[in-house]
Amino acid sequence: MNVTELRPGNYFEDEGVLYQVIDILLNKTAMRKMVAKVKVRNVRSGAITELARNSGYDVTQVSVNKRPMQYLYDSGNTLVFMDPKTYEQIELPKNGMDMYIPYLAPEGEVTISTYDDEILGLELPSKVALTVIDCEPGVRGDTVTNGGSKDATLETGLKIRIPLFIEKGEKVLVDTTTGKYDKRA
């Protein structure tokens, strides 16, 4: 496939490296070939770079399979997931999963990406429901010093700020991109 046909979200292989397109800018000036500046993420290392390729340059588009999975438990060095349809279980090493672990509650849904039976990574939903296991008591009228919020610890160990009216034992939705409270679940 020609590099100018790539769109954000596409996966392709170039010079033996697997990339995902984040953004693409096509630049055509008067007496030159069109240049595609492609902002990409290296799928295996996570590094984000920009590639500049002339039009007419071909890359190999690849198909990445995405499977919905359910998080089961942490077994020490690995995280265990299950396919809810086939009940097949897979284990992923905890190394490199630090950014996902605070949002993985038991029975939580995730999407696991694979390419040629190689597990590339996992994607979290945009919001996850987590239970508040510890928080300060909310003091009525204490909105000046704390801005109407208090510290809370969630079931996964994640510490966030929540509104004063949320109590211990309640479920809250947390935005997985910002790590902040969204609303009651």
Side-chain angles (χ1 to χ4, degrees), residues 71 74 77-81 90-104 110-113 119-124:
Y71 172 66
D74 180 344
N77 295 331
T78 60
L79 302 173
V80 181
F81 297 89
I90 61 168
E91 293 187 27
L92 297 180
K94 278 174 79 171
N95 297 1
M97 295 283 188
D98 297 338
M99 61 190 271
Y100 303 113
I101 291 174
Y103 304 105
L104 292 175
V110 298
T111 302
I112 294 186
S113 302
I119 296 173
L120 300 174
L122 62 104
E123 296 172 24
L124 296 168

Side-chain angles (χ1 to χ4, degrees), residues 16-36:
V17 181
L18 187 62
Y19 294 108
Q20 180 182 18
V21 178
I22 296 172
D23 196 18
I24 184 166
L25 176 69
L26 301 175
N27 188 1
K28 173 77 172 115
T29 55
M31 294 181 55
R32 289 187 63 199
K33 280 186 169 182
M34 183 182 300
V35 175

Side-chain angles (χ1 to χ4, degrees), residues 74-88:
D74 180 344
S75 70
N77 295 331
T78 60
L79 302 173
V80 181
F81 297 89
M82 178 185 72
D83 186 322
K85 292 179 183 165
T86 64
Y87 302 108
E88 172 192 355

Side-chain angles (χ1 to χ4, degrees), residues 26-64:
L26 301 175
N27 188 1
K28 173 77 172 115
T29 55
M31 294 181 55
R32 289 187 63 199
K33 280 186 169 182
M34 183 182 300
V35 175
K37 290 186 179 179
V38 188
K39 187 175 184 180
V40 295
R41 181 177 64 85
N42 183 323
V43 175
R44 292 182 179 104
S45 72
I48 296 176
T49 56
E50 189 170 290
L51 304 174
R53 303 286 191 256
N54 289 329
S55 66
Y57 185 85
D58 288 332
V59 295
T60 306
Q61 185 173 13
V62 297
S63 176
V64 173

